[in-house]
Amino acid sequence: MFTQPIPTIKRDGNTAVILDQTLLPHRCEVRRLTTLDEVATAIHAMQVRGAPLIGATAAFGVAIALVADASDAQLEHALTALAATRPTAVNLHWALGRMAGRLRPLAPADRLDAAWREAEAIRRNDAEMCAAIGRHGYAILERLATGLDRPLRVMTHCNAGWLATCGAGTALAPVYEAQARGLPVEVWVSETRPRNQGLLTAWELREARVPLRLIADNAAGILIARGDVDVVITGADRVAANGDAANKVGTYLKALAAREHGVPFYIAAPFSTVDFACADGAAIPIEDRGAGEVCTVLGLADDGAVRSLRLAPESTAAANPAFDVTPARCISGIITERGICEPARLRDLYPEAQA
Ligand code: MRU
């Protein structure tokens, strides 16, 4: 199974150690989280990011919150505080629901050990789900590559690689699987303004020696239109019951272009990203992160520090919806840990799931 070059999150005693993604791709630094507040800030400020990793971090946060006080009141406080950190990725609520279900019935004295065990299980399960998504997604890449005398050209958006999960990633898991099995692939990576998660994708692919080309977000249309893309695969932050999928803003435009030009468009997402309680995409809450991120950019200064630079004057009006919804009709299939399905047939894969 894929081993993360640096664990995105790991337990160390009664603390968690994360890779601080706000400094990447310029600096690779870890950060220790020791309090509930630090965990909530790490999620909100995107020191950790990506739907599956947000969920796992929240689970570790519950354990950390119980270290000094495992009372009912403290457990409920931790669950509420962590649930409020980011609105769109449903993995956050899935993980907190798992923690609540395991811990609420226990006596306070039994909760801390159980919390760490459950958080570890969530981390491990996520890595397993990524691996299975990689195997199923690889079958698609292998089929599309049949008869080609050049590498298969995959386009992705945002970062849905190992940095966004506890394993190989979601959208990038099939790419890593292809690399491991010797199938030549090349990845188009869009920068993903305003937070530039594409730079994280470029970084992790380059470290793994997977050929990639970084593009400005606006270049995706011309590349798809002129036949330079064989398949688009992105992750998701929440998939509704009808197969509509919310992912990083910009995904929808890629899906539209792919549909117009007959290029297959897949969403790769584990069960923890599926929300059967959301009937369709209109019910998915879309995070608005405020004007600041649009008017500034983080970069490496000459003195080696990672700094925020101002792009637009402070008083510039701006809007910053962080996600968009790709309608099920634009999605060729959803790659899950249980296999690939048409968006509208998601429920067939999870018959045990409640609405
Ligand atoms: O705002 P972010 O960086 O947390 O958003 C991440 C994404 O949109 C990813 O594409 C998604 O979470 C899938 S992660 C495997």
Side-chain angles (χ1 to χ4, degrees):
M1 196 153 87
F2 181 95
T3 304
Q4 294 193 323
I6 305 163
T8 45
I9 187 162
K10 70 172 185 200
R11 178 184 178 185
D12 185 19
N14 275 330
T15 70
V17 177
I18 58 161
L19 180 57
D20 184 347
Q21 302 197 19
T22 58
L23 302 173
L24 288 173
H26 308 295
R27 300 258 287 264
C28 208
E29 281 181 21
V30 296
R31 182 181 284 271
R32 184 179 300 275
L33 307 178
T34 58
T35 65
L36 171 62
D37 279 358
E38 285 175 3
V39 176
T41 300
I43 298 173
H44 180 72
M46 294 170 63
Q47 290 161 4
V48 288
R49 40 145 305 282
L53 181 59
I54 289 171
T57 305
F60 279 76
V62 173
I64 288 170
L66 300 183
V67 170
D69 172 7
S71 64
D72 291 0
Q74 174 67 356
L75 173 59
E76 296 310 318
H77 169 62
L79 294 169
T80 306
L82 291 163
T85 50
R86 293 195 71 188
T88 303
V90 76
N91 310 58
L92 176 68
H93 304 285
W94 172 83
L96 291 175
R98 244 180 95 159
M99 295 301 282
R102 178 81 187 91
L103 301 176
R104 277 188 182 133
L106 299 181
D110 297 329
R111 279 186 182 142
L112 184 58
D113 265 8
W116 280 117
R117 266 186 272 116
E118 192 65 12
E120 266 301 314
I122 286 171
R123 194 189 58 75
R124 232 182 9 256
N125 288 170
D126 184 58
E128 289 159 2
M129 289 194 281
C130 290
I133 286 172
R135 290 191 295 274
H136 294 301
Y138 171 75
I140 295 173
L141 303 189
E142 191 183 34
R143 177 172 51 77
L144 292 171
T146 305
L148 292 183
D149 57 358
R150 54 160 174 80
L152 186 75
R153 298 155 312 180
V154 180
M155 178 176 276
T156 190
H157 187 63
C158 192
N159 172 259
W162 66 262
L163 284 166
T165 67
C166 303
T170 55
L172 292 191
V175 168
Y176 289 129
E177 187 73 21
Q179 193 202 30
R181 297 199 198 199
L183 182 83
V185 288
E186 215 169 73
V187 186
W188 292 111
V189 178
S190 41
E191 55 184 347
T192 318
R193 276 282 296 150
R195 287 296 293 251
N196 289 321
Q197 287 92 333
L199 302 183
L200 306 187
T201 299
W203 179 77
E204 63 163 270
L205 289 174
R206 204 183 58 154
E207 294 286 305
R209 299 181 194 283
V210 175
L212 72 106
R213 267 184 284 176
L214 183 65
I215 54 167
D217 292 323
N218 291 333
I222 180 70
L223 293 172
I224 290 172
R226 71 182 183 201
D228 289 340
V229 179
D230 298 309
V231 60
V232 183
I233 311 180
T234 76
D237 290 79
R238 193 182 298 223
V239 182
N242 74 339
D244 292 351
N247 190 49
K248 182 54 57 192
V249 69
T251 304
Y252 176 44
L253 286 175
K254 287 189 169 67
L256 284 179
R259 186 169 142 101
E260 171 70 13
H261 295 284
V263 173
F265 176 95
Y266 288 92
I267 290 283
F271 174 63
S272 51
T273 303
V274 179
D275 185 359
F276 285 118
C278 267
D280 57 34
I284 300 177
I286 299 295
E287 179 176 26
D288 191 324
R289 292 190 62 88
E293 292 182 347
V294 179
C295 297
T296 57
V297 70
L298 269 186
L300 189 64
D302 288 345
D303 63 0
V306 177
R307 289 226 177 78
S308 171
L309 293 177
R310 177 149 291 286
L311 293 174
E314 213 155 344
S315 55
T316 308
N320 186 12
F323 298 91
D324 58 27
V325 176
T326 298
R329 65 177 177 281
C330 295
I331 300 171
S332 312
I334 301 185
I335 309 167
T336 77
E337 74 284 3
R338 290 198 185 171
I340 301 154
C341 69
E342 287 171 29
R345 307 299 298 264
L346 205 45
R347 202 173 271 283
D348 294 355
L349 284 184
Y350 302 105
E352 77 282 18
Q354 319 248 311

